[in-house]
Amino acid sequence: MIRSMSLFGLLIAGAMNTLCWSQAAYVLPSPTAADSECTLYIDLSQCQDQRLSEMLDAYPDEDVYLWIWNPSAPLQGNGDWGDSDDHQKMDKVSEKLYSYSFVPTEYFGVDGPTFFTRGISCLAKFDNGYAYEEEFGGEAKTEDLSVGIVPQLCNGRMCIFPEIREGDDFITFTYDNNQEENPDLDNLSEVYLHLTARTDAFTLYTYGDDGIASTPFDAGSVPELRMKPVDGEPGVFTFTFVPESFFLGTPSNIDQTPYTGEPLENGIRWYVTKPGYTFVGPPPANSLGILICD
């Protein structure tokens, strides 16, 4: 069962719902990485409060500034309501569309989970938020705008989802060979995962192996360990499995007794390989943690 995906699914659903009903403000790219540059767009023509848009019609030379308070105020501040800081000035994209680019973790000084959870609360205003107040019957600003963020959880060499998992969850490895740092594994057309389940520190179950230490084992010769190419994404491969089901019957390294579904208290060891390949020195000691619940 895929219990670990529920929180992520709700987060995406909420963010996408916000994007659908409120096109006045949105962030691109989406999904969004917390530590890479993104761009916030505010379309004044889509705002419910059209006062700022009408002011721009009358005073087209006015600049538009971003005023933001969630997930936090900017580290450098917004300035004063009557005089926004210069660094908050937005770029004019088209007649009523404005943008502001930033790296979330650097701009707000918060971590990724905080950014993803809180989203963005902001508005657009003139440098002087009190400008033309008497003429237009209110301040030079939009209504408060909210933007939900769809998190880009991983764009690295190897991404594993869900990030928190139990032994009976579906787990997906996504491997980007374009980011491979081992020159021996560059430009692969066939990619295999060496997978070893660990019920304790000493008992290991290596899928495809006979469990006898004296006999050589090549994970690249086991069809079930081959990762699938991702359509339309050259060099990207994926592999999905349920650990407790996948390893059933695999012999242990201790006495070759088969794995029967015991809790994987020491997780799963894994590494990427290719047919016939032998690492110089020990292979990578990557570990996949498995949550043990009663």
Side-chain angles (χ1 to χ4, degrees):
M1 61 192 104
I2 318 178
R3 295 185 295 271
S4 302
M5 295 177 65
S6 58
L7 178 59
F8 178 71
L10 287 172
L11 188 60
I12 288 181
M16 291 306 294
N17 183 59
T18 300
L19 186 60
C20 289
W21 62 255
S22 180
Q23 290 293 329
Y26 53 93
V27 167
L28 294 177
S30 181
T32 307
D35 55 0
S36 298
E37 185 175 270
C38 64
T39 301
L40 170 66
Y41 293 88
I42 297 180
D43 186 347
L44 303 182
S45 68
Q46 297 296 318
C47 289
Q48 295 179 7
D49 185 343
Q50 284 291 294
R51 185 181 297 112
L52 193 67
S53 180
E54 292 167 358
M55 288 180 177
L56 271 174
D57 290 337
Y59 301 95
D61 293 334
E62 283 281 1
D63 291 321
V64 174
Y65 289 74
L66 177 64
W67 188 274
I68 195 163
W69 59 92
N70 211 23
S72 74
L75 281 178
Q76 297 183 53
N78 284 300
D80 297 321
W81 190 254
D83 182 16
S84 285
D85 281 349
D86 291 342
H87 65 81
Q88 290 294 97
K89 180 180 174 181
M90 302 188 76
D91 294 321
K92 186 172 183 178
V93 179
S94 60
E95 184 179 1
K96 294 293 176 66
L97 182 63
Y98 290 80
S99 71
Y100 191 89
S101 298
F102 56 92
V103 177
T105 52
E106 298 175 1
Y107 179 69
F108 296 113
V110 300
D111 59 14
T114 301
F115 174 59
F116 296 139
T117 301
R118 295 181 182 176
I120 291 175
S121 300
C122 64
L123 55 80
K125 63 182 287 287
F126 284 164
D127 183 20
N128 179 3
Y130 303 110
Y132 318 113
E133 188 171 5
E134 292 185 5
E135 181 180 351
F136 286 87
E139 295 176 316
K141 69 177 186 67
T142 66
E143 73 270 16
D144 294 353
L145 303 169
S146 296
V147 182
I149 305 298
V150 180
Q152 182 186 89
L153 295 182
C154 179
N155 60 355
R157 169 184 169 273
M158 179 67 82
C159 298
I160 303 173
F161 183 84
E163 293 185 317
I164 299 173
R165 55 254 155 184
E166 297 179 41
D168 59 352
D169 285 334
F170 283 91
I171 297 174
T172 297
F173 287 81
T174 302
Y175 167 64
D176 186 355
N177 184 243
N178 302 298
Q179 299 188 50
E180 180 57 61
E181 297 180 352
N182 181 348
D184 291 340
L185 298 177
D186 280 346
N187 303 313
L188 294 184
S189 59
E190 288 187 39
V191 178
Y192 291 78
L193 274 176
H194 187 290
L195 294 172
T196 299
R198 306 172 66 195
T199 53
D200 57 51
F202 305 102
T203 308
L204 312 178
Y205 299 87
T206 298
Y207 188 91
D209 193 8
D210 59 11
I212 302 172
S214 60
T215 57
F217 171 63
D218 175 18
S221 67
V222 181
E224 294 86 352
L225 295 174
R226 185 173 180 177
M227 302 188 76
K228 295 182 179 179
V230 177
D231 291 340
E233 298 188 47
V236 180
F237 300 82
T238 188
F239 184 92
T240 299
F241 73 123
V242 179
E244 288 180 0
S245 300
F246 184 77
F247 285 100
L248 286 177
T250 299
S252 77
N253 65 318
I254 300 295
D255 57 7
Q256 291 75 60
T257 54
Y259 174 72
T260 57
E262 297 88 341
L264 302 175
E265 295 188 1
N266 284 65
I268 296 171
R269 290 179 177 175
W270 64 269
Y271 58 83
V272 171
T273 187
K274 65 181 180 180
Y277 182 64
T278 301
F279 287 89
V280 177
N286 303 307
S287 181
L288 178 71
I290 300 294
L291 185 65
I292 306 297
C293 296
D294 295 330

